[in-house]
């Protein structure tokens, strides 16, 4: 049965006392690890109710949870005079998820808000017309001072935004933590969320950096309800060969292991997410075919995979930046409205689950 819905089971029984044992087989047994209640009514109809849902498997579930908390987080949008980013904040505000502090050219921001049918009085606007790095620093400062919860990139370079976050004195890197930020994208696949990392920031990470990227992704998995995700270190093949350096680094990561997850590699993409392929290739590994996190060896692979999921597969992908003291939102102009909205929701979820 699908454990994400109320299930009603009917048994042809005589109207007399009987003890009934109900065996339940879930399509995705990882969704629940709590007991299941079975309720019988007068019509001898049995309803299965989970005691607790432990893992989000769709964006709609995530949205329902966040909206159900009745808590709003404040976004500090750097260089907010950017229609795609501003419209995403407006949409999330209308849903009741966030409040907005808008940093940038005030007159342009107000004009854009009016075009979207919004009243500027419903937003805090910080008038700023200067270097984009300084706009990013203002957003970061607001978060550090507790005047905002989540920094978000508007119309400025990702490198400038990251520089403000990574600043040792004024940035958002926790004391004693490594100065490593990375990107995670999530999408729905076969009854679960699959994560891709890193498709946006780290260009050619070495083994140490790749391990750090996975460690950055683990709190995201935990926020989604996955306490021990399965991590596939991607390459083109499953065998290790010196001619393909990504297989060597994948094997090294597998050998070292990463606390808080199950990690293996190298795995080709089909070996990571397709049980049919796993059976065909006779791969004997507990991660193979059911990976939750896809760790890519280079940014080129991550970028292509991320965009293939979006444009070829037609999936909605939400993105978040990890490694800072709070969730960080960076959306792309190419992202769909749903993608931007769910990226904001994911950041809010991480705040709620922190």
């Amino acid at each position: 049965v699908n454990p994400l819905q109320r299930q009603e089971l009917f048994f042809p029984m005589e109207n007399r006392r009987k003890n009934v044992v109900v065996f339940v087989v879930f399509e995705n047994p990882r969704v629940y690890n709590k007991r299941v209640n079975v309720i019988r009514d007068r019509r001898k109809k049995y309803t299965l109710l989970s005691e607790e849902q432990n893992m989000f498997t769709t964006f709609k579930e995530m949205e329902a949870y966040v909206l159900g908390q009745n808590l709003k987080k404040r976004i500090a949008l750097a260089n907010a005079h950017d229609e795609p980013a501003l419209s995403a904040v407006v949409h999330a505000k209308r849903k009741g998820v966030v409040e907005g502090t808008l940093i940038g050219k005030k007159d342009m921001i107000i004009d854009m808000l009016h075009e979207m049918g919004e009243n500027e009085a419903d937003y805090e606007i910080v008038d700023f017309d200067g270097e984009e790095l300084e706009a990013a620093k203002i957003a970061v400062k607001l978060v550090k001072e507790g005047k905002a919860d989540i920094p978000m990139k508007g119309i400025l370079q990702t490198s400038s935004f990251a520089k403000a976050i990574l600043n040792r004195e004024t940035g958002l890197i926790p004391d004693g933590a490594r100065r490593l930020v990375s990107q995670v994208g999530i999408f729905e696949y076969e009854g679960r969320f699959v994560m891709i990392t890193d498709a946006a920031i780290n260009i050619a990470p070495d083994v140490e950096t790749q391990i750090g990227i996975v460690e950055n992704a683990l709190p995201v998995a935990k926020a989604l309800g996955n306490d021990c995700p399965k991590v596939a270190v991607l390459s083109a093949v499953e065998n290790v060969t010196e001619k393909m350096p990504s297989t060597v680094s994948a094997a090294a990561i597998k050998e070292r292991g990463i606390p808080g997850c199950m990690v293996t590699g190298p795995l080709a993409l089909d070996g990571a997410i397709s049980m049919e392929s796993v059976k065909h290739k006779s791969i004997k590994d507990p991660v193979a075919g059911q990976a939750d996190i896809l760790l890519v060896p280079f940014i080129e692979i991550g970028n292509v995979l991320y965009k293939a999921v979006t444009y070829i597969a037609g999936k909605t992908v939400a993105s978040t930046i990890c490694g800072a003291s709070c969730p960080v939102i960076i959306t792309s102009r190419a992202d769909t409205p749903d993608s931007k909205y769910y990226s904001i929701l994911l950041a809010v979820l991480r705040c709620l689950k922190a």
Side-chain angles (χ1 to χ4, degrees):
V1 298
N2 182 347
L4 304 179
Q5 302 171 353
R6 291 169 61 100
Q7 297 294 317
E8 296 181 344
L9 307 180
F10 293 88
F11 296 88
M13 294 174 56
E14 298 294 333
N15 189 17
R16 62 176 183 264
R17 294 179 179 274
K18 276 195 175 182
N19 292 326
V20 177
V21 178
V22 180
F23 293 90
V24 182
V25 179
F26 288 142
E27 289 177 353
N28 181 359
R30 293 186 299 168
V31 174
Y32 293 99
N33 60 20
K34 299 292 183 181
R35 64 186 174 88
V36 173
N37 296 324
V38 182
I39 299 175
R40 180 190 179 198
D41 66 15
R42 292 180 180 178
R43 295 173 297 162
K44 297 176 286 298
K45 178 176 70 177
Y46 292 79
T47 302
L48 306 186
L49 299 173
S50 72
E51 186 176 73
E52 179 181 338
Q53 182 174 321
N54 292 312
M55 188 183 296
F56 298 109
T57 61
T58 69
F59 286 117
K60 289 300 182 183
E61 289 174 16
M62 184 175 74
E63 179 185 39
Y65 175 84
V66 171
L67 294 178
Q69 302 307 300
N70 294 317
L71 293 172
K72 295 181 181 180
K73 296 298 179 180
R74 180 167 290 275
I75 287 178
L77 179 59
N79 272 6
H81 45 276
D82 175 50
E83 193 279 333
L86 183 57
S87 65
V89 173
V90 168
H91 180 54
K93 185 179 184 304
R94 288 172 178 168
K95 287 280 191 174
V97 178
V98 301
E99 299 288 354
T101 297
L102 311 177
I103 305 154
K105 300 175 182 178
K106 185 174 182 178
D107 291 341
M108 289 182 63
I109 292 171
I110 291 174
D111 287 344
M112 289 180 180
L113 288 173
H114 289 173
E115 290 174 3
M116 297 174 191
E118 293 290 293
N119 187 336
E120 68 270 21
D122 295 332
Y123 298 82
E124 180 182 347
I125 301 177
V126 179
D127 192 16
F128 178 80
D129 185 6
E131 296 293 327
E132 61 178 30
L133 176 59
E134 297 305 313
K137 286 182 177 179
I138 293 173
V140 168
K141 182 180 179 182
L142 289 172
V143 173
K144 290 203 72 169
E145 293 176 347
K147 298 176 180 177
D149 303 293
I150 304 166
M152 180 173 174
K153 184 182 83 74
I155 186 167
L156 69 158
Q157 294 294 319
T158 300
S159 57
S160 295
F161 199 60
K163 189 174 182 180
I165 293 167
L166 290 170
N167 187 286
R168 291 186 183 277
E169 286 75 35
T170 61
L172 294 173
I173 302 303
D175 293 338
R178 76 177 98 196
R179 295 176 69 246
L180 173 66
V181 294
S182 51
Q183 177 266 0
V184 168
I186 70 169
F187 62 96
E188 298 172 9
Y189 180 75
E190 293 190 351
R192 68 183 190 275
F193 275 120
V194 173
M195 302 163 58
I196 303 170
T197 189
D198 174 355
I201 296 178
N202 294 278
I203 297 173
D206 57 18
V207 168
E208 288 292 338
T209 304
Q210 285 181 286
I211 290 173
I213 289 170
V214 173
E215 290 173 341
N216 279 354
L218 294 182
V220 181
K222 190 173 183 63
L224 293 171
N226 193 339
D227 292 330
C228 188
K230 298 181 178 181
V231 181
V233 188
L234 295 186
S235 186
V237 293
E238 281 79 25
N239 58 297
V240 180
T241 170
E242 295 287 344
K243 295 180 179 180
M244 198 176 296
S246 61
T247 65
V248 178
S249 60
I253 294 168
K254 176 184 178 180
E255 184 177 354
R256 289 180 55 173
I258 303 174
C261 65
M262 297 174 61
V263 60
T264 195
L267 284 176
L269 179 61
D270 56 340
I273 63 173
S274 168
M275 288 305 298
E276 182 179 350
S277 177
V278 168
K279 294 174 183 178
H280 181 72
K281 293 182 175 181
S282 299
I283 302 173
K284 305 298 182 183
D285 190 285
V287 173
Q290 48 188 338
D292 303 299
I293 300 177
L294 305 176
L295 174 64
V296 300
F298 314 113
I299 196 171
E300 297 95 330
I301 293 177
N303 188 273
V304 170
L305 178 57
Y306 187 101
K307 290 178 179 176
V309 169
T310 301
Y311 290 103
I312 299 176
K315 297 280 189 180
T316 295
V317 184
S319 179
T320 188
I321 303 299
C322 313
S325 58
C326 66
V328 177
I329 303 171
I330 296 179
T331 59
S332 166
R333 286 180 173 271
D335 287 338
T336 65
D338 278 348
S339 177
K340 294 169 186 172
Y341 171 59
Y342 289 127
S343 294
I344 291 174
L345 273 184
L346 179 58
V348 173
L349 175 69
R350 290 180 60 199
C351 286
L352 295 173
K353 294 285 190 175

